[in-house]
Amino acid sequence: MMTIHHKQMLQEHMSMELSSSSTTHVQTFSQTTKIMGGKWSGEGEPRKSSSTVEFFSLVTRSSNIPAGESIPESTGKPHPITAPEGDKAEFRAQVKGNPKPNISCERESGNAIKESAKIFYDSINKEHVLKLEPLTSDDSDSYKCVASNDHADAIYIMSLLVTEGQDKMDFKNMLKKRGTPAPKKQQKKVTGEKQMLEILSKVPKKDFEKVCMEYGFTDFRGLLRKLKEMKKVEVETIRILKPLEDIETKIDTTVTFDCIVELKDPSVKKMWLKGTEPLKIQYSLGKYNVKQMGTKYMLVITDVNMNTAGTYTLSVGDKRMSAELTVLDELLKFLGEMKPLKVTERQTAVFEIRLSKKVPNFMWKFNGKELKRDEKCEITVSEDGQTHTLKIKDTRLSDKGEFSAEAGNLVQKAQLTIDRIPIKLVSTLKNVHVKERSRACLECELTSKDVTLCWKKDGQLLHYGTKYSMSHEGKRAELVIEDAQLSDGGKYTVVAMQDGDPTEYYSTAMFTVEERLAMKSGMSDVHAASGSPTELCVVLNDKKVEGLWLKDGEITDLPGVQIVKQGAVHKLIFLSMGPDHEGKNTFRAKGADREASAFITDPPTTDLSMLEALAAHPVTVKVGHTANIKVPFRAKPLPKVTWYKDGLEVTEEEHVSMERGEDQALLTISNCVREDSGLVLLKLKNDYGSATATLHLSLLDHPKLPQGRVEFLELSGNCVHMKWKALKDNGGRPVTQFLVERRAASKKSWIKIGEVDGKVTNFTNKVEEGKAYQHRILAVNSEGVSDPLETNEVFAGNPTGQPPPGLASQPQVSDVTKEAMTITWNAPTQDGGAPVLGYIVERRKKGSNLWVPVNKDPIQGTKCTVHGLLEDTEYEFRVIAVNKAGPRQLSMASTLVVAKDPIKPPGLVQGLCIFDSSNSSISLAWQEPVEGDPPSGYILEMRAEYTKEWSKCTKIPISGTCYTVGVLTERQKYFFPIWAVNEAGVGKPVDLDEGVHAMPPPAEDGDRAGAAPKFNLSAQLKSHIVVRAGTVLCIHAAFSSSPPPSVIWQKDGIPTKGRESITKGKNHSQFLINSTKRSDSGVYRILLQNEFGETYYDIHVRMADFPHPAKNLQLFEEVPNTVTLTWNHSPDIQEDSEAHYVIMKRDASTTTWFTAAERVFSNKYTVTGLLPGRKYYFRVVARDEISDSDPLDSKDTWLVNKDKIEDLSSKLKPYEKKDWRHAPRFLTPLKPHNVLRGQDCTMTCAFLGNPRPTVTLYKGDVNITANSKFYNSTSGVCTLIIPTCTLKDSGDYRVLVENERRKDRSTCTLSVYDKDDKSILASVTESLQKKSKHLT
């Protein structure tokens, strides 16, 4: 049959090709092959089959094929396939050709290829594949594959033979020889009738007789009767009061199977099944939910679909109840029609369609293209999934077309028509009247900027040229007329048109040109001093023409002013120039005007008496206060004010400020100090003269301390006579006296020992011989006391008559640890005539004034180790040499030294390497040294290849373990040594083996060292920018490239040129517009190019401004208890797609506004949620990305009427009190427990009762309620926890619940066993096995 069929198909195909036109060349190839196998994707072996036909033909369309192109050609032709039913079949072909061929497949018989077939391209093997799965006998046919391009069609015909599967067994194989009869089975034995009944209860009813014969029981009917009686007793333990019922429902609904079952034993196993499989409730993700309410058992199924249909069974013990769930699949159809829609531009168009059921593959299309949810299109679906809504926001002319809704094979279409918004003139053309040869401007403002404009004069079209210039920026249109002549007067019209709107919108104005009067000479501004005469003069070309003088737009009528006309000469004479005469003066004749201004010009002058007073009495201020120096003056114009102090110009500082008023100059010095005292000079200067004023500023303060050191004139055993120098600064007040104080050595308090007159600079006081003293002198004036001048310690008298030794050298500190230091010094050069007996060493902490002796007895030698120091504390030391005269001269103090253990210098830096480089920088990294103490930093030096000098990369040591050296010469070679450093010193240097070039790392191919430009997007380069019109637009782009690229800025695809400022660097470029306009909106592109490639980045810039408010707010009621608001659009909302309205409401009794809605794009909105009986105000605010507009408020309040409430009290039934009390009962009793010793045991039961029962727990007959972990919750659940069970915890436990109605109890047994207790283990195992059988 298959061979005859293929021959017929071959003959038909050949006859079809032979009948084609003469212009087509047909080449036909046919062969008959013996196929022993096929190519398919299955598990079974291919069956042997009869011969099949493979056919190929080529239909060419043109004889001349251009170079580089070719006809379709198969490199791997598909082969015939034979495969069994249920298997897969794949036809594969590799086809080449230029242009690329298109592949199509079909059946030769004309039948359609089955829907489960797949036709695809295998990109890995580069083959076209036809896959059929699973195979049936209907798939046997010849399949034609056509590869087509512009030059030819290559046709391949392959046969597919589907054989019967192996599961259909041959009847011959099913016939078997009769074998020897099987031996008779040995009869089984049972112990008695009870055991036999147990066996029969476990087998099906149909096998009862067979089983009885096997066990030798002949009384079959007697056993059956007893078995029925036994089951009746069992049935009584499970009573079915209401069985499950069949349910019919629709898709996507929720159904509930319920039944009522009374159980004698609540612990009976209950299980829900679908078909024969148990339901896995916990893994159903909420699809199945099991509930129980008393004796009512329920199975709730949500989101019903076709797969949910089936038989559901509740198994309770050995009872089973079943019911059928039938799911009705509703026919998919549209419940309404989409109607054509017509909206005005910028409004929202809404299409809505409802389906008869929920479908997953619903889609909206516009002109055949699928729509996706975005800012333009809002696609929503109702909660039931049947109503689909499409909203097209901010409609434009481009949105006009056909919208369709597709669900499976169903399609509905509707047209959307867009009407353009009529153009309105916000400001129309105004009539213009100008003088001859002047410049005139006609302008208007429209509601839209996307319009086409033309200008006409007396109906004739005007063209751009030297005479007329037209501009259209944003919504404003302007016509400028240069050098207006009398012939330019007439009627001017501007005509506005827009796409898709045939209406012409226009505005008209009259332009009038007046003849200009000729003047031989005009006027110029005059300047005169106060009280001096001056005049303004103009000469006309006509003596008969009369003129008019105006002062600041009004006719001149001032005293001291004369108007003179001498023929063609007109004069305005000011006899004595005064303040009233200043201003603009205009001469008008025959509509022609000439203007000039008169100004008073006075040089700066000051009051002489005030200057004399300032010179005689200086300005006196206390230190710390504020000095205000005011100098009045007269000058016009106002002069330049300059202040000098002691010959130097004063500039404004933090505590110095200068102000200039109309008639005075002010110098303010805050927080004055003594150094601010001195000679102050004010200089006033304008174009007509200058003046100066001099004064003296004196700052008062307490005196400074006396100068120099105190000289001791006498140091005897009885007295000390001292002398000091006079004060350098007495604080601005004379010194009244000096105070002299002293203190004994090693004392802290000072004692006043006398005072002398301010003119005296010496003092004598009595002392005790041999004691050391320290003195200080303080100066006193009327402002306070000076700082003290202190002397060194001196010794009173010399009891041995021996002079003291000289000064020891400054001590040196060495061998420093945290507890001790070693002090060394040199002996004094003079011993005072007696040998040095020893030295006294003293120490002092940093910040302290107290010197503490280190030793009691003089030290022999010039070295001393000081112990008992505090760690991390700074100390200084001094030495006093001692001879027979005693200790006198103190050495200089040593330098401050910190008491701490010495540290070691760091070792070698580890792992120095280069981790990055560029044309101008090299980045290095390293690791800390292994040896020595930790470093505090690193010293990195560098040297270029052809230089010998090394330079440090940083002024201070580097704290981290990486550093980038910048400002390098491109492709220059550098060397970098590095040292680790700490307080102990500097470690040894480490250097790289070779120098490093300042250039990017080599490319992967290694041929060239360079890189294509690349943007640094982390450097705040944004793709969308919103800028307020009139502010600065700044775009900063950072990039990397080697070599540096060329930078081109474009706007909307055109290179920018005009108002922008562009700066360029190696790694950045900046685009700047100082004052933006609305027309600056657009797409800005920065293009980078170098020899390695190019790249670009687009920035979308949108100009915005403060929105204009909406107008004409109207309120009305369309739906009860709601308010509908309408208003006239703000022009900015219509232009800006991001702009919108915010609706607000306010209760009349409060002052707080609440937002009722946001992002409203239409000019109508209905406010809901209003309270009846309240009065409300409403507000509309236009909002864009910049800010909000001024609010548009409703003028009057709106009252929401109250609904009439029906009185239902007469219909209410009287309340009947019900007795809710009932006796306690257990809902869930206690269950027996078998627990391994050492584990925890938890027992739980639940009960009901009203009033709430009291609960008592017993073990045996002993009340253990107070001695156990027993929890009784308010919900009627009791829990007993026995932690770490022992053998003693085994026994009977009982819970007793009791209220005023009755008692109830629940009992269970706890068995605690060991691992070695085989009897307990056997019972536990047996119970588990019974449970598993019960489950099955």
Side-chain angles (χ1 to χ4, degrees), residues 46 134 178-179 194 258 262 429 434 494 551 574 582 602 666 951 994 996 1138 1141 1283:
R178 185 183 301 275
K194 184 177 181 181
D258 61 336
E262 280 191 357
L429 296 179
V434 298
V494 59
K551 170 72 166 60
F574 303 96
E582 280 191 308
D602 292 333
L666 175 62
S951 60
E994 297 180 356
V996 185
E1138 294 296 326
Y1141 295 104

Side-chain angles (χ1 to χ4, degrees), residues 96-345:
K96 296 182 179 179
N98 190 14
K100 185 178 180 181
N102 295 322
I103 308 299
S104 62
C105 296
E106 59 185 22
R107 295 176 65 163
E108 281 287 314
S109 62
N111 296 331
I113 298 177
K114 62 194 304 181
E115 293 183 359
S116 61
K118 298 180 181 178
I119 302 175
F120 60 92
Y121 178 70
D122 186 352
S123 59
I124 298 177
N125 299 317
K126 299 183 179 179
E127 294 178 334
H128 295 272
V129 182
L130 169 61
K131 185 176 181 181
L132 302 172
E133 178 187 11
L135 292 176
T136 63
S137 59
D138 295 336
D139 295 328
S140 295
D141 202 344
S142 293
Y143 290 81
K144 180 169 68 175
C145 176
V146 181
S148 303
N149 68 2
D150 296 340
H151 305 304
D153 293 342
I155 303 173
Y156 303 90
I157 299 178
M158 305 80 65
S159 63
L160 172 62
L161 178 62
V162 182
T163 62
E164 291 183 353
Q166 293 183 355
D167 54 343
K168 297 183 178 180
M169 300 179 61
D170 193 352
F171 281 104
K172 293 181 180 180
N173 296 330
M174 296 175 63
L175 297 176
K176 297 181 181 179
K177 294 181 180 181
R178 185 183 301 275
T180 58
K184 292 184 179 180
K185 293 183 180 179
Q186 211 170 18
Q187 195 175 58
K188 299 179 183 179
K189 295 182 180 181
V190 294
T191 59
E193 185 178 284
K194 184 177 181 181
Q195 187 177 357
M196 189 64 204
L197 289 173
E198 290 180 1
I199 294 172
L200 290 177
S201 64
K202 299 177 181 179
V203 298
K205 187 175 181 181
K206 64 181 181 177
D207 298 329
F208 280 3
E209 185 175 359
K210 178 182 177 182
V211 173
C212 288
M213 297 297 294
E214 288 178 358
Y215 286 88
F217 277 78
T218 58
D219 188 9
F220 167 72
R221 297 189 182 277
L223 286 175
L224 186 59
R225 185 169 55 254
K226 292 181 180 180
L227 183 63
K228 288 182 179 181
E229 292 176 356
M230 185 177 69
K231 286 190 174 182
K232 285 182 180 180
V233 176
E234 292 180 357
V235 167
E236 291 178 357
T237 62
I238 302 173
R239 291 183 60 195
I240 299 176
L241 302 181
K242 178 190 174 186
L244 296 177
E245 297 178 355
D246 295 340
I247 297 177
E248 283 190 0
T249 186
K250 296 181 180 180
I251 295 177
D252 296 332
T253 58
T254 299
V255 298
T256 302
F257 285 104
D258 61 336
C259 64
I260 299 176
V261 180
E262 280 191 357
L263 302 176
K264 202 82 171 182
D265 183 8
S267 63
V268 172
K269 184 68 176 181
K270 296 170 281 296
M271 181 184 301
W272 287 93
L273 302 94
K274 180 184 178 185
T276 59
E277 296 294 328
L279 287 178
K280 298 180 180 180
I281 306 299
Q282 63 272 29
Y283 301 114
S284 65
L285 300 178
K287 184 171 184 65
Y288 298 102
N289 190 12
V290 174
K291 297 181 180 180
Q292 178 183 353
M293 296 178 61
T295 58
K296 187 175 184 180
Y297 297 87
M298 293 174 286
L299 174 64
V300 181
I301 307 174
T302 58
D303 297 330
V304 173
N305 52 39
M306 298 302 296
N307 296 329
T308 315
T311 303
Y312 289 85
T313 304
L314 173 62
S315 173
V316 183
D318 58 352
K319 295 287 186 177
R320 291 199 173 200
M321 292 176 285
S322 300
E324 191 74 22
L325 175 61
T326 304
V327 181
L328 303 178
D329 189 8
E330 188 177 355
L331 180 65
L332 178 63
K333 62 181 180 179
F334 288 108
L335 301 182
E337 293 185 0
M338 286 177 57
K339 297 181 180 180
L341 196 59
K342 184 176 183 181
V343 297
T344 305
E345 187 182 15

